[in-house]
Amino acid sequence: MARKVLIAWGVAAALLLAGCGGQGAASGQKIKVGLVTQAWDNPAIKDMSNAAEAAATAKGNIELLSQDSRDMQDMVTKLQAMIGRGVKALGIEPWDKQQIMPILNQAKAANIPVFILQSEIDGAHGKGLVVTSIIGDETAGGTVAGTWLGQQLKGPAKVAVLEGAPADTPGIERANGFVQGLSAANPSAAVVARQPADWARDKALRVTTDILTAHPDVHAVFADNDEMAFGAISALEARNLKGKVPVVGYNGTCIGLRATYQGTFAADGILFLDHVGAEFVNSVVARLDGKNVPEKVEPPITLLTTAGLKQIADGAKSVDVNGKPFAVDAALAKRVNDAVAGRC
């Protein structure tokens, strides 16, 4: 059975950014580590990369070569270059978990341990292709959002869903979880459109416009990330539906949290991608030090509504999420207060 670690982030975040571990600490030599993610024009992905860079700097002996990519081919090209440079470990946030397999085999042949961020590749651990996958339970995260929205939409309702890239695991799992939660909370609600918008605001605007043409009586929109949620808002605004059709975003970016606080979004799914980036560096150092590393690390995922954000801004230490308390640690409180103040 795969070993998993569920991190209590309020404590773990401080530990991740402290100390100077790793093989290079004793020798005084920098250890080159590669990281290639999806595009940084998604603020959540940039937050994850920034956290990895901050953690590497704090370790003192890690030289992090961090790059984003515009698509799968660009990612492959950059990863091959890093393998050629002889990095000691690789972090990958794959666009497509099937198309990344040849790179995993190349890294294994070069004895480079691989860490997967925000995805999980079936069978890769058993084949020795991946050391650790760092990803929250995206299905559960989507379910929390679907459950909340289903409870708000009383009676029959038509809902549109904007997915990320067609083969991107987190987006598919979020949307699946959302549909499950929506149906369980409100069996009379129906998803009338579920289309990919490639995580992008401009494409989400076009896709939502098309959905509204086909289904002008849509009652709500769920988007797999905040950028697509903003695109949906623009489409709704063009039809004088902004504020009348609730939009639920996902990621918990600074601008997404601010939009939720202001009531532009009805709610926002909260990922802790900054901790994903830091945990990647922490796991690399542990592996290079010869320590055991779990096969999977799961950061928490939750949902914050406009009311919940206002409670946190007022100093609440816990907020209600679908009838259950969610603890607000110092890191989440700062994240919310920065968003409320517009420090994005």
Side-chain angles (χ1 to χ4, degrees):
M1 181 179 292
R3 292 172 294 127
K4 297 193 293 185
V5 170
L6 291 163
I7 291 184
W9 288 113
V11 175
L15 295 176
L16 294 176
L17 296 174
C20 295
Q23 295 173 335
S27 65
Q29 296 179 347
K30 289 276 189 177
I31 300 172
K32 288 185 179 180
V33 174
L35 173 63
V36 181
T37 69
Q38 295 181 18
W40 288 345
D41 56 9
N42 181 339
I45 304 306
K46 183 58 175 171
D47 286 347
M48 181 174 68
S49 298
N50 288 345
E53 291 169 5
T57 299
K59 292 292 180 184
N61 63 315
I62 300 295
E63 180 184 352
L64 185 65
L65 309 177
S66 180
Q67 294 182 300
D68 71 337
S69 57
R70 64 180 179 272
D71 53 32
M72 192 65 218
Q73 184 55 55
D74 187 38
M75 175 172 279
V76 167
T77 298
K78 289 173 178 176
L79 287 167
Q80 288 175 331
M82 288 186 178
I83 291 172
R85 293 183 64 177
V87 296
K88 299 302 181 185
L90 269 178
I92 306 172
E93 185 206 7
W95 286 97
D96 186 305
K97 63 182 182 179
Q98 296 303 322
Q99 293 184 45
I100 202 65
M101 292 301 291
I103 283 291
L104 300 186
N105 283 295
Q106 290 175 37
K108 182 180 179 181
N111 294 316
I112 299 173
V114 172
F115 300 77
I116 297 296
L117 285 64
Q118 281 302 101
S119 188
E120 193 171 10
I121 302 173
D122 295 339
H125 294 285
K127 297 176 182 178
L129 298 174
V130 172
V131 175
T132 297
S133 296
I134 308 168
I135 181 174
D137 188 334
E138 295 284 3
T139 301
T143 300
V144 170
T147 298
W148 180 83
L149 186 58
Q151 292 171 349
Q152 309 307 306
L153 299 172
K154 313 220 184 290
K158 297 180 179 181
V159 181
V161 175
L162 301 178
E163 287 192 18
D168 192 282
T169 301
I172 294 169
E173 292 179 350
R174 283 175 206 171
N176 287 343
F178 172 81
V179 173
Q180 293 168 18
L182 179 72
S183 299
N186 184 352
S188 61
V191 174
V192 296
R194 178 174 170 175
Q195 297 182 26
D198 296 339
W199 304 115
R201 187 180 301 206
D202 57 348
K203 185 165 184 180
L205 167 59
R206 296 194 298 272
V207 170
T208 305
T209 298
D210 290 343
I211 290 173
L212 292 173
T213 298
H215 305 280
D217 54 349
V218 159
H219 294 91
V221 178
F222 170 72
D224 264 350
N225 77 343
D226 290 342
E227 286 298 292
M228 293 190 295
F230 280 114
I233 291 290
S234 296
L236 290 167
E237 186 173 23
R239 299 199 175 209
N240 197 31
L241 292 173
K242 181 180 177 182
K244 301 174 185 178
V245 175
V247 174
V248 176
Y250 202 101
N251 272 353
T253 60
C254 184
I255 55 175
L257 289 173
R258 184 167 174 78
T260 306
Y261 178 82
Q262 295 174 334
T264 304
F265 294 177
D268 204 17
I270 310 300
L271 290 179
F272 293 82
L273 289 183
D274 50 345
H275 299 304
V276 172
E279 176 61 22
F280 158 61
V281 173
N282 192 60
S283 297
V284 166
V285 170
R287 173 59 183 254
L288 296 179
D289 276 344
K291 298 176 182 177
N292 291 327
V293 178
E295 291 182 4
K296 186 174 182 180
V297 177
E298 291 186 5
I301 299 176
T302 192
L303 181 85
L304 291 177
T305 64
T306 299
L309 284 169
K310 289 182 177 179
Q311 290 169 11
I312 295 173
D314 288 338
K317 301 301 181 185
S318 176
V319 292
D320 178 88
V321 180
N322 293 340
K324 297 180 181 179
F326 186 85
V328 178
D329 63 13
L332 179 56
K334 181 181 184 305
R335 182 172 168 185
V336 168
N337 288 326
D338 284 346
V340 169
R343 294 189 290 268
C344 297

